[in-house]
Amino acid sequence: MTSSPYGAAGRRGRRVTAHRLGTALSAAGALAVTAVLSGCAQQPDPDVYTVMNSSTDESFHRWDAKALAACSAELGVRIEQQSVPASQLKTKALRMASSKSLPDVLQLDASEVPQFASAGGLVPLEEAGVSAEGVPPGIVGFGSYRGTWYGAARTVNTLALFYDKDVLDEAGVTVPTTWAELREAAKKLTEGKRYGLALSAGGAEDGVFQFLPFMWSNGGDETDLASAEVAGALEYWKGLLADGSLSKSTVNWTQADVNDQFMAGNAAMMINGPWQLETLDKDKDLHYGIATIPVPEAGMDSVAPLGGAVLTVANTGDAERQRTAAKIIGCVASEKQVLEYAVSSGTVPANARAAAQWRTRFPELSAVSRQVESGRSRTGKVGDRWPTISLALQSAFQQALTGKSGTGPALENAQQRATSGN
């Protein structure tokens, strides 16, 4: 399984998923980062600037290489791309910090920014010289921690409802917009080996990423996992399973698995992200459409999580190199570069002007654009507590969906874990 640079949760293509990142930095790890960054760093090659990312997928590595080559020529500096699997990036960055050999630019999943920023591992972007001009406030917030901007997104992604046009037309089913319509459509479309809907409910960040649109659109909040609104969203998922509209294997599926099921004809609809477009478009016989994720009641906002990677200036202690790193980020995140990257990757440009051009060129992706406009950051309310909350939520819906626990007890236990940090 290959990995790509975007985040779980949503990440674009991250065909990998546990989205990778893992759990929160340990207290010891955070202290280690702070300690090593306060010391003297090893001297890097003065003529080479390093960008470390998770673009191990061939396509994403090639697209990043093209952007970095253009910026190398524009800035007159030599830039080296180092790509490591997404699931290993955070651990590798910590090891590099301990050996005083951090890269100049570090790509992180946006949900990891609070962990690194709180440990002193990142330099505020505006302080380093990166401008937020042309970046919508919501996307600035996506890469921020406690009101300070640390991570510049090139593009962002989110989730949407994908559906097989031919299957829906044959069954006489219209594209659902509410939970009731989705449940009815999924039941009607379930036939033989084909399920009406596929989604990821796996015990990792992918599953949480996919649960959030249901939780948030129902008024639930990550600060109170035991609320009636969160329980209502989980009960809705349980109802889909009880109907037989979801495969029981959904509790083990990643977002890549969901896409495989959809492409194989084993699901009429799926919840997934635009990072799957390149793979979907390879099947010329598959005629799919994209819609916003249905909401509990008509007229409500469909709120999905923003996903994606951000570029950060690593705190190497070398002010001059940090200023150059900021220039590299400014170039790679410029209107021209992000538009080209977004067109290739199927993600939405973070630059407002580029996004306007993107929408004009790809009207069929308007649902994705609408989901981005109403999207939220996973860490916006809870900051570096997100990994703990995510793990608690993962455990809750795994327990509830497999019948090992009732919805109420599972979520009450999750809230206790989230509060205690254990």
Side-chain angles (χ1 to χ4, degrees), residues 113-114 117 124-127 132 137 140-151 379-384:
V113 166
L125 290 182
E126 290 182 304
E127 178 182 304
V140 171
F142 178 61
S144 297
Y145 173 62
R146 293 186 175 178
T148 299
W149 188 38
Y150 288 97
T379 61
K381 289 189 175 184
V382 297
D384 54 3

Side-chain angles (χ1 to χ4, degrees), residues 94-119:
L94 290 172
R95 286 201 305 267
M96 294 177 76
S98 67
S99 63
K100 307 180 182 69
S101 58
L102 278 167
D104 298 287
V105 176
L106 177 62
Q107 177 187 278
L108 297 171
D109 184 272
S111 66
E112 297 177 311
V113 166
Q115 302 168 32
F116 277 83
S118 65

Side-chain angles (χ1 to χ4, degrees), residues 330-348:
C331 177
V332 173
S334 66
E335 178 181 348
K336 177 182 178 181
Q337 291 295 338
V338 300
L339 179 59
E340 185 172 339
Y341 187 77
V343 169
S344 299
S345 64
T347 51
V348 182

Side-chain angles (χ1 to χ4, degrees), residues 67-68 70-75 79 130 311 325-338:
L68 292 175
C71 289
S72 177
E74 179 178 324
L75 299 174
I79 305 172
V130 181
L311 297 171
K327 291 179 182 178
I328 292 171
I329 292 176
C331 177
V332 173
S334 66
E335 178 181 348
K336 177 182 178 181
Q337 291 295 338
V338 300

Side-chain angles (χ1 to χ4, degrees), residues 6 10-14 60 63 155-162 209 255 259 270-281 288 290 305 307 342-348 358 365 367-369 371-372:
Y6 279 77
R11 277 185 174 232
R12 84 183 133 142
R14 62 142 26 317
F60 290 110
W63 297 330
T155 61
V156 292
N157 61 68
T158 188
L159 295 168
L161 177 71
F162 289 69
F209 201 69
Q255 294 179 127
N259 192 61
M270 70 169 176
I271 304 296
N272 226 312
W275 54 86
Q276 306 291 6
L277 293 174
E278 182 180 35
T279 302
L280 289 168
D281 289 340
Y288 66 90
I290 309 175
V343 169
S344 299
S345 64
T347 51
V348 182
W358 182 87
L365 298 180
V368 175
S369 182
Q371 292 278 193
V372 165

Side-chain angles (χ1 to χ4, degrees), residues 35-293:
V36 299
L37 292 176
S38 64
C40 297
Q42 293 178 353
Q43 292 301 313
D45 185 332
D47 298 321
V48 179
Y49 290 83
T50 303
V51 175
M52 191 169 80
N53 59 30
S54 57
S55 301
T56 54
D57 179 275
E58 186 278 329
S59 295
F60 290 110
H61 189 84
R62 172 166 36 87
W63 297 330
D64 280 339
K66 183 177 181 181
L68 292 175
C71 289
S72 177
E74 179 178 324
L75 299 174
V77 298
R78 181 180 168 191
I79 305 172
E80 177 182 283
Q81 177 181 199
Q82 291 184 356
S83 299
V84 298
S87 60
Q88 301 173 23
L89 188 145
K90 184 172 70 175
T91 301
K92 183 175 178 63
L94 290 172
R95 286 201 305 267
M96 294 177 76
S98 67
S99 63
K100 307 180 182 69
S101 58
L102 278 167
D104 298 287
V105 176
L106 177 62
Q107 177 187 278
L108 297 171
D109 184 272
S111 66
E112 297 177 311
V113 166
Q115 302 168 32
F116 277 83
S118 65
L122 306 177
V123 177
L125 290 182
E126 290 182 304
E127 178 182 304
V130 181
S131 171
E133 182 181 359
V135 183
I139 296 180
V140 171
F142 178 61
S144 297
Y145 173 62
R146 293 186 175 178
T148 299
W149 188 38
Y150 288 97
R154 298 157 70 190
T155 61
V156 292
N157 61 68
T158 188
L159 295 168
L161 177 71
F162 289 69
Y163 58 93
D164 188 316
K165 292 181 177 180
D166 294 338
V167 172
L168 267 67
D169 287 346
E170 183 179 344
V173 172
T174 57
V175 180
T177 60
T178 66
W179 281 9
E181 291 174 356
L182 177 61
R183 189 167 180 178
E184 181 180 354
K187 283 195 289 186
K188 189 171 183 179
L189 294 167
T190 297
E191 180 179 312
K193 69 173 186 177
R194 185 187 70 212
Y195 291 91
L197 179 67
L199 53 79
S200 169
E205 190 70 13
D206 272 18
V208 175
F209 201 69
Q210 295 227 334
F211 182 66
L212 289 178
F214 294 87
M215 183 177 93
W216 284 343
S217 297
N218 199 43
D221 193 280
E222 55 271 32
T223 62
D224 184 6
L225 300 182
S227 72
E229 291 78 12
V230 179
L234 185 49
E235 282 294 310
Y236 182 75
W237 268 22
K238 288 175 66 176
L240 292 170
L241 270 174
D243 291 344
S245 300
L246 288 177
S247 168
K248 291 182 179 180
S249 297
T250 193
V251 296
N252 300 314
W253 284 346
T254 66
Q255 294 179 127
D257 296 328
V258 169
N259 192 61
D260 290 342
Q261 294 296 319
F262 182 71
M263 293 190 69
N266 296 330
M269 300 179 289
M270 70 169 176
I271 304 296
N272 226 312
W275 54 86
Q276 306 291 6
L277 293 174
E278 182 180 35
T279 302
L280 289 168
D281 289 340
K282 290 179 181 178
D283 186 348
K284 303 305 179 184
D285 295 325
L286 176 61
H287 307 124
Y288 66 90
I290 309 175
T292 54
I293 297 173

